[in-house]
């Protein structure tokens, strides 16, 4: 029965996409924002996860109303991003030049002219799907690493075809790594989203808490002597975006691989954190980012009785002695 649902969803997405392509960009994105707001009210579990993540990241510095507004704003942004994905058939170079302002373009041009392989690295920030689309439409075809989706294969192939029609070739983890290596040898630009957790990752500081970050892109850059070009796309308003390119990161080949990889990850996470702090409404807060962290916090509530408070403080101090990151 799953293939029937897959077929129906594929047809529905085609029909909705055709309607969205017919609408002007501003109107389509406005509609996506309204649908995202509806998702905010229909997904209370995800809202709770997002609120917990924002509170953890900003360490209680934001009032509850502000935290909830951040998550609500993220849902509206996510709805707009889904609409932009479905409108890819009508997105062309003229669209990019009108709606996407590129800052730090010279960093990209210098990296591509360096003669070294280049790995474009971004995070789950803004509409990251537009990053390889933009480079492809501007004349730099990109090989983008993605995680294959098997639940609805027909629908997934349709969405991949949308991306690949714009100069972005999608490869998947596993067998696709060979194509990734070949692309680096040919000096073709490859794109990776590098802020996700991985069992092969290492723990680094992210907003004051230890977070697991994948080492794969950085190990690849070290082995192939490639430049890492960080970039993040910000939604300015409606369909308008700012694509901010940062100076390239070059991993020291004089240091051992593990040391160089950690240094590269810490630099990238610092850049990501800076962008998230500038506008926290555009980072993907809805998954359990610190699920595997060893960092724990203790909240002590006082009932006004000094003896009870002293007992609680003694327990907290004992936990701190046993767990250095508590």
């Amino acid at each position: 029965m799953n293939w029937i649902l897959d077929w129906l969803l594929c047809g529905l997405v085609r029909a909705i996409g055709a309607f969205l392509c017919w609408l002007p960009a501003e109107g389509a994105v406005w509609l996506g924002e309204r649908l995202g707001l509806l998702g905010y009210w229909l997904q209370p579990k995800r809202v709770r996860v997002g609120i917990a993540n924002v509170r953890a990241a900003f360490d209680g510095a934001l009032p509850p109303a502000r935290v909830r507004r951040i998550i609500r704003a993220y849902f509206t942004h996510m709805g707009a991003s889904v609409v932009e994905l479905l409108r890819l058939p009508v997105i062309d170079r003229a669209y990019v030049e009108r709606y996407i302002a590129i800052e730090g373009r010279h960093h990209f041009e210098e990296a591509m002219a360096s003669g070294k392989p280049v790995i474009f690295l971004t995070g789950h920030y803004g509409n990251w799907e537009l990053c390889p689309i933009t480079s492809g439409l501007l004349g730099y075809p990109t090989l983008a690493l993605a995680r294959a989706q098997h639940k609805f294969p027909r629908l997934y192939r349709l969405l991949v075809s949308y991306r690949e029609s714009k100069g972005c070739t999608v490869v998947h983890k596993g067998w696709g790594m060979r194509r990734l290596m070949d692309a680096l040898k040919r000096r073709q630009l490859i794109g990776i989203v590098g802020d996700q957790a991985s069992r092969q990752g290492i723990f680094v500081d992210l907003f004051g808490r230890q977070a697991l970050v994948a080492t794969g892109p950085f190990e690849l850059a070290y082995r192939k002597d490639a430049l890492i070009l960080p970039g993040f796309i910000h939604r300015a308003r409606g369909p308008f975006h700012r694509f901010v390119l940062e100076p390239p990161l070059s991993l020291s080949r004089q240091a051992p691989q593990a040391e160089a990889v950690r240094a590269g990850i810490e630099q990238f996470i610092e850049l990501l954190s800076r962008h998230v702090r500038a506008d926290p409404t555009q980072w993907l807060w809805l998954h359990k980012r610190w699920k595997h962290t060893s960092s724990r916090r203790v909240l002590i509530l006082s009932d006004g009785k000094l003896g009870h408070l002293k007992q609680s403080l003694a327990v907290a101090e004992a936990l701190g002695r046993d767990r250095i990151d508590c």
Side-chain angles (χ1 to χ4, degrees):
M1 293 298 291
N2 199 56
W3 69 270
I4 298 177
L5 181 58
D6 187 21
W7 183 83
L8 290 174
L9 283 174
C10 192
L12 182 62
V13 165
R14 286 181 184 274
I16 294 174
F19 171 69
L20 293 172
C21 289
W22 173 76
L23 290 175
E26 288 83 354
V29 168
W30 179 89
L31 180 59
E33 290 172 343
R34 304 288 81 72
L35 293 173
L37 190 58
L38 179 63
Y40 170 81
W41 295 109
L42 295 178
Q43 295 287 324
K45 182 178 179 181
R46 287 295 175 186
V47 170
R48 288 194 297 270
V49 170
I51 288 174
N53 280 336
V54 174
R55 290 179 63 188
F58 291 93
D59 197 19
L62 301 178
R66 170 63 174 149
V67 173
R68 189 166 287 275
R69 284 198 299 270
I70 287 173
I71 298 303
R72 186 166 59 241
Y74 180 76
F75 269 89
T76 63
H77 159 72
M78 183 171 60
S81 298
V82 170
V83 162
E84 286 169 331
L85 175 60
L86 298 183
R87 294 189 79 253
L88 280 181
V90 296
I91 290 180
D92 54 14
R93 181 165 183 155
Y95 182 98
V96 167
E97 291 174 347
R98 178 178 179 184
Y99 291 109
I100 302 177
I102 301 176
E103 299 178 10
R105 191 166 184 166
H106 61 286
H107 295 312
F108 178 82
E109 293 170 347
E110 290 169 3
M112 296 303 292
S114 68
K116 290 187 174 184
V118 178
I119 300 173
F120 173 77
L121 195 64
T122 189
H124 289 90
Y125 187 86
N127 189 354
W128 64 88
E129 294 276 6
L130 290 178
C131 294
I133 303 301
T134 298
S135 64
L137 289 172
L138 293 180
Y140 295 92
T142 304
L143 207 67
L145 184 64
R147 181 180 286 114
Q149 305 297 323
H150 302 292
K151 188 173 183 180
F152 300 113
R154 182 186 295 269
L155 175 61
Y156 180 66
R157 287 195 298 270
L158 174 65
L159 297 178
V160 167
S161 72
Y162 286 173
R163 298 179 178 99
E164 294 192 333
S165 68
K166 306 301 172 181
C168 169
T169 302
V170 178
V171 297
H172 301 103
K173 295 180 179 180
W175 291 106
M177 293 303 295
R178 184 179 296 276
R179 294 182 63 188
L180 214 62
M181 303 289 254
D182 291 341
L184 285 176
K185 289 179 182 177
R186 299 193 307 270
R187 302 295 188 266
Q188 182 181 356
L189 181 66
I190 68 172
I192 301 176
V193 180
D195 61 345
Q196 66 268 43
S198 169
R199 294 181 183 275
Q200 286 74 44
I202 61 173
F203 283 103
V204 297
D205 184 276
L206 175 61
F207 291 108
R209 303 184 75 190
Q210 292 295 298
L212 200 59
V213 179
T215 58
F218 301 89
E219 292 172 345
L220 187 60
Y222 184 89
R223 291 198 300 269
K224 298 299 180 181
D225 194 22
L227 293 177
I228 294 178
L229 182 67
F232 304 90
I233 190 163
H234 295 244
R235 186 180 300 280
R237 59 179 177 82
F240 292 92
H241 301 263
R242 287 191 308 114
F243 191 178
V244 182
L245 295 166
E246 300 283 358
L249 306 178
S250 181
L251 304 188
S252 172
R253 299 295 296 276
Q254 308 304 316
Q257 177 174 318
E259 183 180 322
V261 165
R262 174 172 287 278
I265 290 176
E266 289 174 345
Q267 290 179 68
F268 174 73
I269 291 299
E270 183 179 353
L271 288 172
L272 171 67
S273 301
R274 193 181 75 202
H275 284 269
V276 174
R277 290 185 187 279
D279 186 354
T281 67
Q282 298 193 41
W283 194 42
L284 180 59
W285 297 103
L286 305 185
H287 73 298
K288 296 180 180 180
R289 186 61 188 85
W290 288 277
K291 180 178 181 180
H292 302 291
T293 185
S294 58
S295 300
R296 294 293 183 267
R297 290 182 178 145
V298 177
L299 173 65
I300 298 177
L301 302 177
S302 173
D303 60 2
K305 296 181 180 180
L306 184 59
H308 293 172
L309 179 59
K310 287 182 177 179
Q311 291 173 0
S312 298
L313 288 171
V315 172
E317 290 171 3
L319 288 171
R321 286 194 299 271
D322 293 338
R323 299 178 60 93
I324 196 170
D325 53 352
C326 177

